[in-house]
Amino acid sequence: MSLLVVGLSHRSAPVSVLERASLSVDAQFKLLQDTVAAEPAAEAAVLATCNRIELYADVDKFHAGVAELSTLLAQHSGVGLEELTPYLYVHYEDRAVHHFFSVACGLDSMVVGEGQILGQIKDALARAQELHTAGRLLNDLFQQALRVGKRAHSETGIDRAGQSLVTFGLEQLAAGGDVTAWARGRTALVIGAGSMSSLAAATLARAGVAEIVVANRTLDRAERLAQILTEADGTDVSARAVPMESVPAELTRADVAVSCTGATGLVLTAEAVAAAVEDRTGAPAAFAEQGAPAGVRPLPPTSVGTDENCPLDLAAVPQQAAVQQPGFSVLGEAAVAGMDAATLEQHAAWVDNAGVDRRPSARRSPETDAELITALAALAATVGRIPERRRPEPVAAPVRPEPVLFLLDLAMPRDVDAAAHRLAGVRLVDIESLAEASADAPMAADVDQVRRIVADEVAAFGAAQRAAHITPTVVALRTMAADVVAGEIARLDGRLPGLDDKHRAEITQTVKRVVDKLLHAPTVRVKQLAAEPGGAGYADALRTLFDLDPETVAAVSRAEESTEKNAENRGPA
């Protein structure tokens, strides 16, 4: 059996696709059950966060496993397989382990280095254990991933490379300023009482907000979170709980609203946000105009040609179809008819806002003119036009009023209507805008050290798995040897019925020592060899050489797995 992961994340799919493909808790349970019921998979676990959906499985066939897992992801996410497939990625065996350990360390997160992923991995393992879909491989994998993630955060400064998604979102709301200074004295509304909402509430409390209002569909959970916030050491925030029906009214009082629920529809519509802004300002919340504002000077017209929106660029034209002449900017076949090279140069310089050199020494010879015009004509005939390159005129950004309401949407699918982005007086940060902002975030030097940790841990995990793979065979071999010893001692008893107990025990011990010494070196060496890459075949060789019963080996494996499962059931993950 081998590890296979099929998934999609913010790195492979747009937020709109991730939003549609998001899985509720019930959908995750059903996906797990259907995966282990499928033929290629023996174990399964689902890691579903706001920016990734990954299905891990122990499969016996690669191609059948990829097909089955992809189909199941499509079925349970509600996104058609044909639409979902271009955004899926697949990792297998060691590459799957490397990917997962990188995820656990925060290297694959939207905000590099964030530690919240460790809690999400722990939750994913707990779900798989609850449904008994995680066997030896996935239990070992997830437990080691948690250790690798903790090691990365304790041994390196990866925490300096990034923060939790909540902290990063609040920094975006504060427009890159100091979050504590921005948050101090404000009133915050937290919608939802799950792990992400609780983290947001705690972060806001530490940042110095004056009041936090927690709204949740289950009022008891909101009250519990509010009590925790009130009793927490190091903060003097006032916290209270309200039912979800009170959100519109509380939104009119709030300066900041953070939403992260499991709702399938919008929690805050653009109309509700506009009404809250209007209530605060006393004026209707208008939608900001899109595009360039009035009065911005348009691009100058070209002196030849009529195609004002040519999408091509000379650098993008195939080399065999063009002579690379930097600075030229003329359109269509009409542009080269009857024009000499000097005119073409003057036109290019004009478009590029450069001065035109009219000195005689700058003019080309007739032979050069002919070669250039021939090349330009060939280009026009090949691509239909000669690409135009212009320097874009600066476009003034529309002036927006200072925000009076800050919204942070951490839900997937989204809780807040994306149209609220356009409301004057509103600053909305959601998963999509966080993805755009994080693309430019600097990488810390510690990332390289974490990558080395991941590489070492992947090698160690592979060696341990390969060694574990041969252990049942070694145990079966030693069991067979013990049976042989027992059989020979029984034969000795039949031949020497008068043998006293002392001598019988000494003979038995001597035979056992001989067998143990003969088996010691080969079994130790075979474990070492099996732990190396490509060592999986040693178990098969051992079974063949000693004619071991495959069912005996399988029975040892089942007994070990049963012992491990009982141990897991006795204690927390």
Side-chain angles (χ1 to χ4, degrees):
M1 304 294 280
S2 300
L3 179 65
L4 174 67
V5 56
V6 178
L8 66 161
S9 73
H10 64 100
R11 294 185 181 275
S12 69
V15 172
S16 58
V17 174
L18 281 172
E19 189 174 35
R20 292 172 52 212
S22 62
L23 298 171
S24 65
V25 175
D26 287 343
Q28 292 176 46
F29 278 116
K30 293 176 182 176
L31 175 58
L32 285 174
Q33 291 170 331
D34 288 352
T35 302
V36 294
E39 182 180 348
E43 305 178 31
V46 175
L47 179 60
T49 72
C50 57
N51 53 32
R52 77 177 61 251
I53 304 159
E54 295 178 340
L55 179 55
Y56 291 79
D58 185 10
V59 299
D60 58 0
K61 298 174 183 176
F62 173 72
H63 293 289
V66 172
E68 188 67 34
L69 267 59
S70 301
T71 301
L72 288 170
L73 271 177
Q75 288 175 352
H76 289 273
S77 68
V79 180
L81 183 59
E82 289 186 1
E83 183 181 357
L84 191 64
T85 297
Y87 305 112
L88 293 177
Y89 48 77
V90 174
H91 298 292
Y92 190 54
E93 295 187 328
D94 285 351
R95 291 302 307 168
V97 177
H98 188 280
H99 168 75
F100 190 41
F101 287 0
S102 297
V103 169
C105 292
L107 292 180
D108 198 60
S109 295
M110 186 180 294
V111 181
V112 174
E114 60 95 8
Q116 189 178 355
I117 186 66
L118 289 175
Q120 294 163 334
I121 289 174
K122 189 173 182 179
D123 291 342
L125 176 58
R127 280 191 294 271
Q129 290 176 337
E130 181 181 347
L131 287 180
H132 305 291
T133 63
R136 171 188 286 175
L137 176 61
L138 291 186
N139 270 298
D140 289 350
L141 176 72
F142 274 67
Q143 295 285 4
Q144 184 155 341
L146 292 171
R147 291 192 292 270
V148 174
K150 292 174 183 176
R151 180 187 169 193
H153 285 279
S154 64
E155 295 184 13
T156 75
I158 190 67
D159 292 324
R160 295 193 298 269
Q163 326 83 335
S164 73
L165 206 59
V166 171
T167 305
F168 190 58
L170 293 177
E171 287 185 354
Q172 297 304 305
L173 285 182
D178 180 60
V179 173
T180 301
W182 167 81
R184 186 176 296 114
R186 294 185 185 271
T187 297
L189 170 63
V190 176
I191 306 174
S195 57
M196 184 78 82
S197 298
S198 299
L199 178 60
T203 305
L204 286 166
R206 289 194 299 270
V209 295
E211 182 185 15
I212 296 178
V213 180
V214 182
N216 193 57
R217 296 190 186 281
T218 305
L219 186 58
D220 289 346
R221 295 190 65 184
E223 290 174 340
R224 190 158 57 248
L225 177 55
Q227 181 180 0
I228 292 172
L229 293 170
T230 302
E231 297 174 354
D233 295 332
T235 65
D236 55 357
V237 66
S238 170
R240 58 187 175 88
V242 298
M244 285 293 286
E245 295 76 21
S246 301
V247 165
E250 295 295 339
L251 195 62
T252 63
R253 300 179 58 255
D255 303 301
V256 186
V258 180
S259 187
C260 186
T261 72
T264 55
L266 292 175
V267 175
L268 294 178
T269 64
E271 291 74 13
V273 175
V277 172
E278 182 176 351
D279 186 81
R280 293 175 66 92
T281 62
F287 282 91
E289 291 297 328
Q290 300 298 300
V296 175
R297 184 166 58 89
L299 293 172
T302 54
S303 60
V304 291
T306 57
D307 189 350
E308 293 292 327
N309 298 301
C310 178
L312 300 176
D313 185 275
L314 193 61
V317 178
Q319 291 290 334
Q320 63 269 25
V323 175
Q324 297 293 339
Q325 295 288 344
F328 280 93
S329 180
V330 287
L331 301 175
E333 291 132 0
V336 298
M339 295 177 64
D340 61 12
T343 304
L344 293 174
E345 283 184 318
Q346 290 181 26
H347 179 77
W350 172 77
V351 171
D352 283 348
N353 297 319
V356 179
D357 189 351
R358 293 185 175 83
R359 292 173 299 173
S361 59
R363 297 183 64 86
R364 299 175 184 269
S365 67
E367 293 79 10
T368 305
D369 290 349
E371 291 177 3
L372 179 60
I373 292 174
T374 300
L376 292 173
L379 176 60
T382 303
V383 300
R385 66 191 66 176
I386 295 177
E388 178 175 14
R389 297 192 302 177
R390 303 176 180 213
R391 289 180 180 173
E393 291 287 327
V395 177
V399 178
R400 292 176 63 108
E402 285 296 315
V404 297
L405 179 59
F406 298 84
L407 302 175
L408 178 57
D409 182 5
L410 298 173
M412 183 64 70
R414 73 183 75 219
D415 280 347
V416 182
D417 191 342
H421 275 292
R422 296 172 50 221
L423 282 169
V426 173
R427 179 176 295 161
L428 168 61
V429 172
D430 54 19
I431 294 297
E432 192 163 11
S433 53
L434 282 174
E436 294 172 357
S438 64
D440 298 325
M443 298 284 285
D446 300 270
V447 168
D448 286 338
Q449 186 178 350
V450 173
R451 287 179 176 145
R452 288 193 291 272
I453 289 175
V454 168
D456 291 344
E457 293 284 355
V458 169
F461 182 82
Q465 290 298 307
R466 288 187 291 271
H469 179 69
I470 203 170
T471 297
T473 303
V474 172
V475 171
L477 174 61
R478 289 190 172 276
T479 301
M480 184 192 75
D483 291 342
V484 170
V485 170
E488 291 302 317
I489 295 299
R491 288 181 61 192
L492 182 64
D493 288 340
R495 292 181 178 183
L496 301 173
L499 192 66
D500 60 74
D501 291 343
K502 179 180 179 181
H503 289 92
R504 183 180 181 280
E506 186 65 33
I507 293 171
T508 301
Q509 188 63 30
T510 299
V511 174
K512 286 183 177 179
R513 281 199 299 267
V514 170
V515 171
D516 286 343
K517 287 182 178 180
L518 287 174
L519 290 181
H520 175 73
T523 52
V524 169
R525 184 58 180 150
V526 80
K527 285 183 178 180
Q528 294 172 343
L529 293 171
E532 297 174 0
Y538 286 101
D540 296 333
L542 207 60
R543 286 193 294 270
T544 301
L545 288 171
F546 288 92
D547 195 23
L548 297 175
D549 182 9
E551 180 55 35
T552 302
V553 177
V556 174
S557 297
R558 287 194 295 269
E560 290 183 351
E561 290 177 1
S562 177
T563 302
E564 291 175 358
K565 185 172 292 186
N566 291 335
E568 289 161 5
N569 291 337
R570 288 194 298 269

